[in-house]
Amino acid sequence: MLVQILVLAVVLQLGSAQECGGFLGFMALTPDQLKKEIRSEVATLLSHDSLPEDGSEGEGDLRTVIESVVDAAIEKAVVNISDKIVDKVNSALISSEISMAVANLSDVVDRLVSSTLSQLHQLQLPGGTPSHPATSCREIKDLHPSSPSGHYWIRSSNGFSVQVYCDMTRSCGGITGGWMQVANIDMSNHAETCPAGLRMLTSPKRLCGINSDGPGCSSAVFSVQGIEYSRVCGKIIGYQQKSVDAFNSYTGNQRLTIDDAYMDGVSLTHGHNPRKHIWTFAAALHEVSAFPNSNCPCTNIHHHTTAVIPPYVGRDYFCDTGSEHRYQGRFYPDDPLWDGQG
C-alpha cells in the first residue's frame, strides 16, 4: 500500500503542473535543468514521514528500491520529454503535447513500479533479506504457498543468516515444496563437475566414481551451513560396472562399521564420529545369481538370498541391479540403478 500511494503521489504531483501552467516552465529547460526540476518536485515525497527510516529492520531495502524507481522514472521521462519538446523551446506548445508528456511520465512510473512490486513483496517476506531470515524453506512455503523456487535467507543454528536454494515444487514423502537444496549434481550437463572427493569418469558415460579402481570408499561432503533439518529427500542414480555384490562384504565380515566398505553402492550419512545412517543404495550382481550373498534380499527370483543387512542400515535401503539375466563382466548402461524402474 505504501508503494502504491507513493506512485500515485508522484503522478499527481507532476500532472498538476500541467493544470496550473507549471509544466510549461519545465518544457523551456535543458534536459539537465528539466531533470533537476522534476527531482525537486518528488524530493519531498522521498523524505515523507510515512516512509521507513534508513537502517530500520528490514526496511532499508524498501526505501532504496522506491528511490531507485523514482530516479529511473525521472531519467526516462527526461529523455522522452526532451526528444519531443526541447527543440520547440521558443514555440507555443499545444495542450495535446503537454498531455502526452505527462502521460509518458506516468506510464514510465507505472511500468517501473509494476516490475518491482513483486521484488518489493519478496524483500518483505521471511527469507527475503539477511536482516529478515526465515527459520526454514518450509516456513516460507507455509506462509506463502505461491513462493517460487529460488534463493532465500535462512537463520542457521548459530544465529547467522545464510543464503540457500529453496525448492518449492519438489514432492517427496507426501510433502510438496519447502525443501532446502543441499546438492544437485547432473552429470548429463557437460558443464557439471564431480564434487571434491570423487573422480570424473568420462567413458563409457559421464559419471562420478570412487578415487580408486579397486575396493574402497570415497566420500563427498555437502554442507547444510549450520541449518537444522528433520527430513532428507533425494535421488541418486548409478550404473553397474562389472561385478557388484550388494551386502556381501558385511555378510562375510559382520564387524564392518558404517565407516567401512560394508556394501557395494552408495551410503548416505550425516554427522561424524560416528556417522549416522540415512539411506543405503546397494548394487547387486544380478537377478538370477547362484551367489545368494551378492543378491538383493527381495529381488532374486530363483535363489533365496542369505545376505545379512547391517543393523545400522535396518530397513532404510534400496537394492537394485543393472543385469536382469546372468552376470556379464561389462558396463550396463541401459538399466540405471535406483531409478525406481526395476
Side-chain angles (χ1 to χ4, degrees):
M1 182 63 68
L2 174 63
V3 177
Q4 293 172 339
I5 291 173
L6 173 66
V7 173
L8 179 62
V10 171
V11 174
L12 293 179
Q13 182 76 13
L14 297 178
S16 63
Q18 177 192 355
E19 297 174 3
C20 63
F23 227 93
L24 287 172
F26 289 167
M27 297 305 105
L29 301 174
T30 66
D32 285 344
Q33 292 171 323
L34 179 61
K35 188 185 303 183
K36 182 178 179 180
E37 291 292 336
I38 297 177
R39 285 188 190 280
S40 68
E41 290 291 322
V42 298
T44 54
L45 293 173
L46 294 179
S47 59
H48 195 274
D49 291 339
S50 64
L51 290 178
E53 293 295 330
D54 287 326
S56 59
E57 179 67 21
E59 300 290 359
D61 291 315
L62 179 59
R63 172 180 283 273
T64 298
V65 173
I66 292 173
E67 292 177 345
S68 297
V69 169
V70 174
D71 286 345
I74 292 172
E75 294 287 346
K76 290 195 174 185
V78 167
V79 173
N80 291 338
I81 297 172
S82 298
D83 288 345
K84 295 181 179 179
I85 303 177
V86 165
D87 60 341
K88 301 178 181 179
V89 167
N90 297 320
S91 306
L93 300 178
I94 61 175
S95 60
S96 62
E97 288 179 313
I98 298 175
S99 298
M100 184 176 295
V102 175
N104 285 343
L105 180 57
S106 300
D107 288 344
V108 169
V109 173
D110 288 341
R111 287 196 302 271
L112 285 170
V113 172
S114 294
S115 68
T116 56
L117 280 177
S118 60
Q119 298 178 44
L120 291 172
H121 178 65
Q122 188 66 34
L123 287 172
Q124 300 311 301
L125 295 178
T129 64
S131 59
H132 195 198
T135 58
S136 66
C137 294
R138 184 73 247 171
E139 180 192 30
I140 298 172
K141 180 69 173 179
D142 288 342
L143 291 175
H144 301 279
S146 62
S147 296
S149 296
H151 289 90
Y152 294 87
W153 292 94
I154 305 297
R155 187 183 305 279
S156 66
S157 57
N158 58 15
F160 293 106
S161 295
V162 295
Q163 194 174 42
V164 305
Y165 184 86
C166 294
D167 189 327
M168 299 305 192
T169 60
R170 180 180 299 276
S171 181
C172 188
I175 300 175
T176 299
W179 296 96
M180 182 181 80
Q181 186 179 94
V182 177
N184 182 26
I185 304 169
D186 180 5
M187 296 310 292
S188 65
N189 179 359
H190 286 271
E192 192 73 77
T193 59
C194 293
L198 302 180
R199 66 170 174 168
M200 172 84 75
L201 304 174
T202 58
S203 179
K205 198 176 185 72
R206 292 185 84 253
L207 301 168
C208 296
I210 64 174
N211 285 317
S212 68
D213 293 321
C217 298
S218 295
S219 295
V221 178
F222 303 98
S223 174
V224 297
Q225 303 186 73
I227 296 174
E228 297 181 352
Y229 58 94
S230 59
R231 295 172 181 261
V232 177
C233 170
K235 185 176 185 178
I236 295 176
I237 293 180
Y239 292 87
Q240 181 175 343
Q241 170 76 354
K242 298 183 179 179
S243 174
V244 288
D245 300 304
F247 294 101
N248 182 57
S249 294
Y250 183 82
T251 301
N253 180 6
Q254 296 181 28
R255 292 188 301 272
L256 296 177
T257 71
I258 197 171
D259 293 315
D260 298 318
Y262 66 89
M263 57 88 204
D264 284 350
V266 178
S267 177
L268 185 64
T269 64
H270 69 100
H272 60 281
N273 296 328
R275 299 185 188 190
K276 297 178 178 62
H277 181 262
I278 296 176
W279 197 263
T280 288
F281 299 82
L285 189 60
H286 56 183
E287 293 184 4
V288 295
S289 173
F291 304 97
N293 290 350
S294 301
N295 301 332
C296 290
C298 58
T299 60
N300 192 290
I301 60 176
H302 294 295
H303 299 274
H304 175 69
T305 181
T306 56
V308 178
I309 308 301
Y312 43 81
V313 173
R315 298 176 62 87
D316 298 327
Y317 69 91
F318 184 3
C319 186
D320 198 3
T321 178
S323 174
E324 295 182 2
H325 306 292
R326 294 232 174 240
Y327 157 76
Q328 297 176 356
R330 64 180 180 87
F331 180 75
Y332 291 83
D334 300 323
D335 188 0
L337 302 174
W338 317 308
D339 62 349
Q341 303 301 313

